Amino acid sequence: MGISINPTNATALAATPGLSYVALAPFEGGATNPSTAAATAVTPVDTAANEAFMNKWSGVDAVMAANGLEPAALQNQTSLSAAATTLAKYQQALDSNARTGQDAQAVATALVSSMQQLILQRPDLANAKFDFQSDNGAIKVTSGTLSDSDRAWLQNLLNSNGSLVHAVQSFHNDLVGGYSAWANADGNPLTDAQSNAISKQADGLVSFMSLFRQMGASSKVPNADDKDIYALNGAKIDLTQDPGNAVGFLSFMQSAQAVANGADVAKTPVGNFYKAEKFNIFEQNLSNSWAIRIPFFPSDATSLGMHETA
């Protein structure tokens, strides 16, 4: 995807430095013959302004292109200033969506205390499989194995955790905010009815235990062939484990926190290396090649829908 801007074309100036589009004399009937038409006007281009524009906004264009996002309002912009204003609106949408990585980390961090409570209060559910989603400002638990009464008990446990409910709602709000900002940049702001529909779609877009599993598996660092990585307490770090139950989730979070703090040791054939890995699995954004992408934007300028889900 390239940015098409006329008459100061931000992507074509490399081929014609110092000049903008050349106006061609029309043929009879309005047609134009590029091989014989005479140039009637040449407008100088502010190359410094154009370079500043590209330096500031080329990264935004690249992120959108890499994710297959087509910004309708950027087509055939008439000036750099107009394009910059429009790109700033799209940047707002991208920024809102990219915050979902931080939101997911807040959800996982808040969930730790609830999973510890679960194991203490209901050890019979310590290995029970479940997931949960945002649900109109609250949390909805889903499970193919829990009884209705056990699912209701777990759902009440999670909803009693105010920090967790708030983190889940922040995740939801950033998804909806990015969608709304994108529609506004496209020149098609959402109506109240459309906003309500998008909010309901965002509720069911992400199941958090599944998201954590994808984030851990996408990191892949502990799976290097020549090393095993351990926390300083001796526990093996494994981000590919299934966090879909209380025991698995707490073990998963111990691994995630160990690598986030650099509190790990890699045991290799040639020796042990401390602080071998230090990274945050929750730092997901649209520009990371390995990221779990959750772009939630209009599919085009006139219809509602999810571009991609995780």
Side-chain angles (χ1 to χ4, degrees):
M1 179 188 66
I3 303 175
S4 177
I5 303 170
N6 297 317
T8 308
N9 189 315
T11 59
L13 283 177
T16 55
L19 295 178
S20 68
Y21 266 26
V22 177
L24 301 181
F27 267 120
E28 188 175 353
T32 301
N33 185 336
S35 63
T36 60
T40 59
V42 176
T43 304
V45 168
D46 186 341
T47 54
N50 192 74
E51 182 177 358
F53 175 92
M54 292 302 294
N55 288 339
K56 182 173 183 179
W57 297 113
S58 60
V60 181
D61 183 43
V63 168
M64 291 189 292
N67 288 275
L69 300 172
E70 297 292 341
L74 276 180
Q75 305 307 312
N76 300 315
Q77 288 287 340
T78 59
S79 70
L80 290 181
S81 60
T85 299
T86 303
L87 275 167
K89 294 179 180 179
Y90 285 117
Q91 177 72 76
Q92 180 183 355
L94 293 171
D95 287 346
S96 179
N97 188 267
R99 284 195 296 271
T100 55
Q102 300 172 13
D103 297 332
Q105 182 170 10
V107 171
T109 301
L111 183 61
V112 168
S113 62
S114 291
M115 293 299 93
Q116 291 170 336
Q117 280 185 271
L118 182 151
I119 292 174
L120 288 174
Q121 297 177 24
R122 292 290 305 271
D124 57 311
L125 299 182
N127 292 292
K129 297 287 187 181
F130 74 94
D131 215 321
F132 64 98
Q133 301 174 336
S134 171
D135 182 34
N136 195 28
I139 291 172
K140 179 176 72 174
V141 170
T142 61
S143 175
T145 58
L146 286 175
S147 67
D148 288 344
S149 60
D150 286 342
R151 186 191 61 79
W153 180 89
L154 177 55
Q155 186 165 286
N156 288 335
L157 176 69
L158 299 189
N159 279 296
S160 69
N161 184 337
S163 296
L164 178 62
V165 173
H166 176 74
V168 168
Q169 189 61 34
S170 294
F171 187 103
H172 168 276
N173 290 345
D174 279 330
L175 286 178
V176 175
Y179 193 110
S180 178
W182 191 277
N184 184 60
D186 273 350
N188 295 281
L190 302 179
T191 65
D192 288 343
Q194 288 172 329
S195 294
N196 290 335
I198 293 307
S199 181
K200 291 179 180 179
Q201 284 185 299
D203 270 342
L205 182 63
V206 171
S207 294
F208 287 96
M209 297 302 227
S210 298
L211 178 63
F212 301 150
R213 183 185 306 113
Q214 290 176 302
M215 285 178 164
S218 71
S219 301
K220 296 182 179 179
V221 175
N223 299 324
D225 294 335
D226 62 343
K227 62 186 176 184
D228 289 322
I229 302 176
Y230 295 83
L232 297 184
N233 64 4
K236 187 173 181 179
I237 292 174
D238 181 9
L239 294 173
T240 67
Q241 60 196 301
D242 184 4
N245 58 67
V247 172
F249 173 77
L250 292 176
S251 179
F252 169 83
M253 284 298 289
Q254 286 182 342
S255 293
Q257 290 167 358
V259 293
N261 296 330
D264 57 78
V265 55
K267 297 183 179 181
T268 76
V270 296
N272 296 341
F273 298 89
Y274 290 88
K275 296 187 177 181
E277 308 294 346
K278 186 175 182 179
F279 63 97
N280 187 343
I281 71 165
F282 297 102
E283 289 182 348
Q284 308 291 323
N285 61 65
L286 293 175
S287 62
N288 283 345
S289 60
W290 52 268
I292 300 299
R293 305 181 198 285
I294 320 172
F296 182 55
F297 302 118
S299 57
D300 54 51
T302 58
S303 68
L304 301 178
M306 295 174 288
H307 178 79
E308 186 177 348
T309 63

